[in-house]
Amino acid sequence: FINTIKTQANIVEDIYFAGGEPLLHLEHYEIMDELDRLNRIDKIFFTYSTNLTNFNYKKYNVIDYWKKMKKCKILVSIDEVDSERLHYIRYPSDLNLITNNIKILNETFSGTDKYWSPTPTWNILNLHRIKDISEYFYKNNILAHNFDVSPSWEFDFHNIILLGPKYLSITNAPDYWKDSLRKILDDYEE
């Protein structure tokens, strides 16, 4: 598989490293080393889905590669901003660690083609807290440098709607909960 990927290294224009957690896979770094050897890192648009809990894997530090990139988008999987709730929803996430790593990301990224977005997976456990979750980034001064460059808040938050398991899907929530949620979302939009 890695050899097949490497054969495309001279022509690839976009690469999306999806979850699991790509920053903890040796294959990710093998691909990045090959691209670096070919002097192609600055010619590719990279997208990552990551929980941003670790920049280091074995001898590698992903920041070393990110600094060489000209175009990169990091989708930070963060479903909650209350430490206990986050730990429950996305075990074993650590809010302080993620927040500190977002600060490092903000120090590392600059320009319009290098940015990150909070990427919550909305479900019955967290959608009613959308205002609290989004305000956390404001209150802690950890917004991406290019936050709010679009009139659409969906640009700033890369939203994922959980479809399964069904018992966590908002589609299965009772109508009274959905009605209260609509009010929360309407108030937040204003």
Side-chain angles (χ1 to χ4, degrees):
F1 174 73
I2 291 298
N3 289 333
T4 301
I5 300 276
K6 287 179 181 179
T7 64
Q8 305 298 309
N10 278 318
I11 59 172
V12 68
E13 295 178 11
D14 295 279
I15 295 178
Y16 180 12
F17 289 107
E21 182 49 47
L23 305 184
L24 297 178
H25 288 278
L26 182 58
E27 295 84 0
H28 164 259
Y29 297 98
E30 289 177 11
I31 292 166
M32 293 308 299
D33 282 344
E34 180 66 9
L35 294 170
D36 195 24
R37 186 185 71 75
L38 296 169
N39 294 315
R40 298 259 4 261
I41 290 179
D42 64 342
K43 295 166 182 59
I44 298 168
F45 182 19
F46 293 90
T47 303
Y48 285 83
S49 287
T50 175
N51 60 27
L52 210 64
T53 57
N54 198 332
F55 291 132
N56 298 300
Y57 179 72
K58 297 188 178 189
K59 66 178 183 175
Y60 300 102
N61 184 312
V62 73
I63 298 288
D64 296 334
Y65 297 99
W66 288 351
K67 286 180 179 178
K68 296 177 182 182
M69 296 174 182
K70 288 192 177 172
K71 298 178 182 178
C72 185
K73 178 180 180 180
I74 310 294
L75 305 174
V76 179
S77 302
I78 184 164
D79 299 339
E80 182 53 76
V81 294
D82 173 273
S83 293
E84 290 179 20
R85 292 175 63 85
L86 176 64
H87 191 75
Y88 179 78
I89 292 172
R90 200 178 274 266
Y91 178 83
S93 290
D94 178 327
L95 184 62
N96 290 328
L97 175 64
I98 295 168
T99 300
N100 287 333
N101 286 345
I102 287 172
K103 290 175 183 177
I104 292 168
L105 193 59
N106 277 339
E107 292 169 7
T108 304
F109 277 21
S110 63
T112 57
D113 289 333
K114 289 175 85 171
Y115 57 96
W116 69 274
S117 297
T119 308
T121 299
W122 298 114
N123 61 71
I124 209 163
L125 298 174
N126 66 356
L127 189 55
H128 64 287
R129 291 183 37 80
I130 190 169
K131 184 175 186 254
D132 300 308
I133 292 169
S134 62
E135 285 182 351
Y136 176 83
F137 297 96
Y138 285 103
K139 289 177 182 175
N140 288 283
N141 196 29
I142 56 170
L143 292 168
H145 70 277
N146 55 353
F147 193 86
D148 203 26
V149 297
S150 166
S152 172
W153 76 285
E154 289 88 354
F155 178 84
D156 298 320
F157 277 78
H158 184 86
N159 298 292
I160 298 171
I161 305 295
L162 182 81
L163 300 175
K166 287 186 176 189
Y167 62 87
L168 290 175
S169 172
I170 58 175
T171 60
N172 292 316
D175 287 339
Y176 70 86
W177 187 84
K178 290 178 187 176
D179 291 340
S180 68
L181 181 60
R182 281 185 195 94
K183 175 150 179 36
I184 290 169
L185 293 174
D186 288 345
D187 290 346
Y188 179 65
E189 188 173 15
E190 283 182 33

